[in-house]
């Protein structure tokens, strides 16, 4: 952003002011790392986006029947803008994806992702629930913890259920809920779910927050896939930086100004003499 300020001139001294806006600072936390964050100096606001971890897929129930593991649910999405001040400490926690379920075991639930500290409250994206070994699929992460004023929140997709193993649900996107796993096929999202198949290990969910696929049924002792880790993105806006400069005439310029003044006085004096 640029604001034009009118220039004023007094006694051949030009005064000018330029306002330059720094639209954003480097992200304090950007990705799947968990860390404490100190708000950069000069920051006035921050936009935070969070995805919860995906649920892990369940292992198959028995190699002697068609009971594949259920797919894990995808992580939810939460976004909000907060006013901040430089130097404020923020605690950033990125949720892990749920563990893969072993043979005849359920997967692990996806862990929520959150940011707290200072004016930042109500920014949490819940993780997806796990798939179970009896073809019971996990639910997508819900939005009940995304309570910040003006927040945008969407749920993750549900895991799929199928005799050969269910596909994982996709994580929510910034514009809508994650896609559900359909049968053994994975749901689509910001992070898509992992697929499943006949006598195969469930595929892991994609980052951020995709649910893991269930362990394949009908043969073998197959584990499910792990859920994809959550994610947090932060972008700060800095206050405009005002810089002022004063243009002072050089010695040569002062000489020209003085000479011009003397010449003007001489012309004025000559004009008065002629009138007299």
């Amino acid at each position: 952003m640029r604001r034009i300020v009118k220039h004023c001139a007094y006694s051949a001294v030009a005064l000018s002011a330029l306002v330059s806006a720094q639209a954003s600072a480097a992200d304090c936390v950007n990705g799947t790392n968990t860390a404490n964050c100190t708000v950069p100096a000069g920051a006035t606001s921050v936009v935070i986006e969070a995805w919860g971890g995906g649920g892990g897929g369940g292992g198959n129930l028995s190699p002697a029947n068609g009971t594949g593991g259920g797919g894990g649910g995808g992580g939810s999405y939460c976004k909000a803008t907060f006013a901040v001040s430089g130097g404020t400490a923020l605690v950033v926690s990125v949720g892990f994806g749920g563990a893969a379920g072993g043979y005849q075991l359920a997967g692990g639930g996806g862990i929520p992702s959150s940011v707290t500290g200072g004016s930042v409250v109500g920014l949490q994206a819940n993780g997806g629930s796990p798939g179970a070994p009896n073809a019971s699929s996990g639910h997508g992460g819900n939005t009940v913890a995304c309570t910040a004023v003006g927040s945008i929140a969407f749920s993750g997709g549900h895991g799929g259920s199928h005799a050969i193993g269910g596909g994982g649900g996709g994580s929510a996107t910034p514009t809508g809920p994650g896609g559900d796993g359909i049968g053994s096929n994975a749901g689509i999202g910001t992070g898509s779910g992992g697929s499943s198949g006949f006598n195969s290990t469930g595929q892991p969910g994609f980052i951020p927050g995709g649910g893991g696929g269930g362990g394949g049924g009908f043969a073998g002792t197959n584990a499910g896939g792990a859920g994809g880790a959550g994610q947090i993105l932060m972008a700060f806006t800095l206050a405009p930086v005002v810089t002022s400069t004063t243009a002072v005439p050089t010695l040569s310029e002062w000489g020209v100004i003085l000479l011009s003044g003397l010449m003007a006085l001489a012309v004025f004096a000559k004009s008065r003499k002629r009138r007299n």
Side-chain angles (χ1 to χ4, degrees):
M1 178 180 73
R2 182 179 293 274
R3 184 176 68 188
I4 299 176
V5 181
K6 292 183 179 180
H7 296 268
C8 301
Y10 298 95
S11 302
V13 178
L15 302 177
S16 65
L18 298 177
V19 178
S20 59
Q22 293 176 277
S24 62
D27 288 334
C28 185
V29 173
N30 187 342
T32 59
N33 56 310
T34 296
N36 292 331
C37 165
T38 299
V39 176
T44 58
S45 66
V46 60
V47 177
I48 305 175
E49 296 178 278
W51 286 263
N60 70 337
L61 184 62
S62 171
N65 59 38
T67 309
S76 67
Y77 172 82
C78 180
K79 176 183 179 181
T81 301
F82 302 92
V84 293
S85 300
T88 301
L90 302 178
V91 178
V92 181
S93 179
V94 180
F96 292 104
Y103 173 56
Q104 296 186 335
L105 296 175
I111 306 301
S113 295
S114 64
V115 181
T116 58
S119 63
V120 180
V121 292
L123 196 289
Q124 178 173 306
N126 285 339
S129 62
N134 57 357
S136 177
S137 58
H139 292 286
N142 58 46
T143 61
V144 297
C146 185
T147 59
V149 176
S151 60
I152 297 172
F154 296 104
S155 299
H158 302 315
S161 179
H162 197 278
I164 62 172
S171 65
T173 76
T175 57
D180 295 339
I182 305 297
S184 62
N185 297 314
I188 304 301
T190 303
S192 295
S195 60
S196 184
F198 176 80
N199 190 26
S200 64
T201 299
Q203 297 300 303
F206 289 86
I207 296 173
F218 286 105
T221 55
N222 301 306
Q231 186 177 65
I232 288 178
L233 302 178
M234 304 176 70
F236 294 92
T237 297
L238 301 184
V241 177
V242 180
T243 58
S244 298
T245 58
T246 302
V248 180
T250 63
L251 288 176
S252 60
E253 289 172 336
W254 277 120
V256 171
I257 293 171
L258 180 60
L259 180 60
S260 298
L262 291 174
M263 292 177 65
L265 287 174
V267 171
F268 178 74
K270 188 174 182 180
S271 174
R272 284 180 59 86
K273 186 176 181 181
R274 286 178 176 177
R275 289 198 191 105
N276 295 334

